Amino acid sequence: MSDLPIDIFTIIDLIIMSMLLVVGIALVRLNNLFAVVMLYGVYSLLAAIWFVSLDAVDVAFTEAAVGAGISTVLMLGAMLLTSREADPTPVLRRWTSFLIVAATGAALFYATLDMPSFGDAASPANSYVGLQYMHHTISEIGMPNVVTAVLASYRGYDTFGETVVVLTAGLGVMLILGIGVSGGQAAPSAPEVQSKTAKKSKDVSVKSTENHHIVLQVIAKMLIPIIVLYALYVQFHGDFGPGGGFQAGVILASAVILYSLIFGMEETRRAIPPRFVQIGTALGVLIYGGTGIVTLALGGKFLDYNVLNAHDPVHGQHLGIMFVEIGVLVTVASVMLAIYYGFAARYRELKDQDW
Amino acid sequence: MSLMSAISSISGLRDLLPHAAALVVVIPLLAGPIAVILAKARLAWLWSVLVAAAAFGLSLVLLGTVLGGETITYEMGNWPAPLGIIYYVDSLNALVISLVSGMALLALLYGWPMVEREIEPKKQAMFFGTFLICLAGLIGVAITGDAFNVFVFLEVSSISTYVLVAMGAGQNRQALTASFNYLILGTIGATFFVIGVGLLYMATGTLNMADISRLLADGDNDRVVRAAFSFIVIGLGLKTAMFPLHTWLPNAYAFSPSMIGVFLASTATKVAFYTLIRFLFSVFHAGAPFETAMFDYVLAPMAITAMIVCSVQASFQPDVRRLLAYSSVAQLGYMLLGLSMGTVAGLSAGLLHMFNHALMKGALFMAVGLATLGLGVIQVSEMRGMGKTMPLTAAGLSIAGLSLMGVPLTAGFVSKYYLVIAALERGWWWAVAAIVVSSVLAIFYIGRMIEAMYLQKPPSHGDDPVIVVRSPILAIVPLYILVAANIWFFFDPSVPKGLADSAATLLLGGGAP
Amino acid sequence: MIEWAPILEVLRHGTAGAFMLVGALFMLIGSSGVLRLPDFYTRIHAAGITDTLATVLLLAGMMIEAGFTQTSAKLALVGIFLFLTSPTATHAVANAAHKAGLKPRLGTVEPPHPRDVDLNEEKS
């Protein structure tokens, strides 16, 4: 309730939005794929900051972990399999795309004319079902983070579907690229990958424990347990603050990817065999769906957590949400690893033939 | 039916029947990951057949209940409607669900000999797992009564479809490009759809379809709702392969594994078409001026263009499966035409054509897959003499082709007949003209195949007859089930026609504009 | 009798502000360094300033502002994490560049005598 016509948050929003616009335009105009991947990371991070400013902390956290974090790593992995430069787009196609995007934008602008103003408490989105969630969550589910309550219980079935979407993406990568269940010889570790332009033949012959990486290895050994611990914190703190299975799964996977970047693919495969990852992708969905089957067996409807505890429905909700979040964690972490393994397996294949 | 009552008399199963609406999706959805863990191809296939049969059985249970005049509502997590997600079954989607699960069962039976030859052994178990997830996704889209849940299951089905199409890469590397194109366009479609749903949420504050519809009736037709309408129509139009947005379809159908071609051609666009109907008629109000204008000046012309242009394109395709794919886009034009009339008769005819088209295209793709297996047929010209070398397949292909033309004694005739009647009722003589032109073109492109099969001599190497791989019985049986269905539903279209009529009446609230 | 509480409060805000301001200043210096320094290794040196000193100062400022709360503890953890990772990242990048065969631009700077520099030439 300040007297100023524009408050500080609006200014911050405007600055972030204009930065998003600039990054977006740069993304479209660049042909260098490495720069594009990096700018995507920047874009996601900016978007995450903007979401924080809009008070959508859970969304911001997911955007930062998935969009800016692991996507960038996976995109870099994918980029290694292709060239660093994109072919320039033909002029005609460029203009057609521009026209389509402009028309879409115009339609959205047209819609804004009748939109309720931002943060309007009387708008339908803020006053109807959204408000009911706010009122009911404490008595029905008993946890302070309404986002988690909506995501895992009220609309838990949607989240089940989303978990299956993640699994399907992983299945796609495993089917099309394979994740090297058959195993094979040592894969190069990432620092060697970076130096591929220089002395490839020498790098492949040396062990990855070469003293060049000693600093990285020491620090990584210190960090990886902390990252795993943080993932578990995010997983189990989701009831109270931002967090949950999706973010935790991504963070857990990133710990393994860090390990693999520094200690090599071979070591990682020994620690977490591809078949294990493959089963993990399916297992998470089964844990989620299994919770639903248990509620059916106990006489409730699918995913009705109230029946999990006959005396205290709220406790039942807590249990149910915990189980399904574990399911999400297992599937998301496994799928991220499966995608990473898919690219890494591919890279070795290429190396044998062409590099 | 006695088998059915025997099954349901087992008390444990009877307890599950109230949950049929949820289980018809959840069973395949959970069976998919289990198939991935099974890792043995034959085991995974048997498991998939079992699961598809269970899903088909459950959908028949739902269909039976709906035919009894009830609608089924199932609250997920026992949360009441606007708070939670509900499943809602009425005569419109009971038909679609039965169609999808039935076609999945037939495609799986047909698929084993095909998959054995087309897909690497190591990948077969995961392939069947992905197929089950795709099946669950398609049923999930059809059964839900929640606008956002539609998006989630649309994604489940779409992403698994991209993967399944890409698995054709074992036969032809072009499958990968086809799948990638489909992925890009499909994702754009999904994004448009979810923007539309977001705008609807902004305008109404709820995601439950019935609730949105109720709230839209109160408010005036504001710009947010209009934008939502446009975004949803374009998004679902991409998924339905509505005329100018169909470019992904021909290659995706042509290069996918045979079994997937059969399944997609008979279900994927049908489910998207159903969703379009659901949104146009039971979420938005079809009588509103803005929507009527969209129907008359956008949808109907697009439908007509698709019927003619894509039939012409089909006529000039050398590749059999691409020919059939272009014909699918043209046939979707028929369905859209029925929809855009905005009358009970038109909508009912469109729905009936959707059902019949699934039967005929399923049979056609099955027969072509067998021809590819037996003779390595890829082009129409390579089909010469098939009437002699592969008589069963050729006969099945011809009968399904006749149904596609709309010849009497086949199901295709029935739906085209009702479509013409509906167009005349609406006074759209130009639509009737388009139907006739498009049917003549169908005679031409199906005629090319029949001519090659029966009037040309089989190819031969000198004096030796050409070597034919015998068609597996397991694949012939589903083909003939579909062929028989194509004939059966000419003589007795009462079940699909009745369902289509009651669905159309329900959607238009009795009073047609 | 002097009321210490408000004075301390003002001091706290002031110190916090000063820390953050200095941090922001280092951020600016680092950024301009990344843009203006001549080669990869000197630029990475400038980037190191923003990663370590500037960030730590900013975090310290925020911790002073937050006082003895859970937020401060979290900020301290962030600080420790950055203290470990930022130099390591800088090291990894420099190491990779070195292994890829990128040579630093060595050699002494030999500026021309001002008398030799023509004003027009400098403009062009």
Side-chain angles (χ1 to χ4, degrees), chain A residues 104 107-108 110-111 113-116 124-125 128-130 132-133 136 140-141 153-158 160-162 164-165 167-169 171-172 174-178 182 275 278-279 281-283 285-286 289-290 293 296 300-306 317 346, chain B residues 19 22-23 25-26 29-30 33-34 36-37 39 74-79 82-85 87 122-123 126-127 130 133 146 148-149 151-153 155-156 159-160 163 166-167 176 192 195 199 201-207 211 214-215 222-224 226-227 231:
Chain A
T104 312
L108 284 171
Y110 172 78
L113 295 175
D114 277 349
M115 282 183 188
Y128 184 40
V129 178
Q132 286 181 33
Y133 286 138
H136 291 249
E140 288 176 349
I141 305 199
S153 185
Y154 289 114
R155 299 191 64 89
Y157 191 66
D158 270 347
F160 181 40
E162 290 296 350
V164 177
V165 169
L167 162 69
T168 318
L171 280 177
M174 289 191 278
L175 273 169
I176 295 168
L177 295 179
S182 54
R275 173 70 183 149
Q278 191 187 18
I279 292 177
T281 57
L283 192 66
V285 170
L286 290 177
I293 298 294
L296 279 182
K301 291 199 166 165
F302 191 69
L303 293 177
D304 177 6
Y305 311 135
N306 281 354
Q317 288 287 340
R346 217 54 201 176
Chain B
H19 300 289
L23 288 174
V25 178
V26 169
L29 206 53
L30 286 177
I34 291 174
V36 172
I37 291 179
Y74 187 89
E75 295 93 0
M76 285 293 164
N78 210 16
W79 296 114
L83 280 185
I85 294 160
Y87 270 8
K122 248 188 349 191
K123 294 180 173 174
M126 275 200 279
F127 175 82
T130 315
I133 292 176
D146 188 277
F148 190 77
N149 199 239
F151 169 72
V152 171
F153 277 83
E155 284 295 275
V156 171
I159 293 179
S160 46
V163 176
M167 289 319 288
L176 293 175
F192 269 59
I195 291 175
L199 290 173
Y201 183 73
M202 179 178 270
T204 59
T206 176
L207 289 169
D211 216 21
R214 180 178 65 83
L215 289 163
D222 69 348
R223 294 188 181 94
V224 179
R226 284 181 185 180
F231 274 104

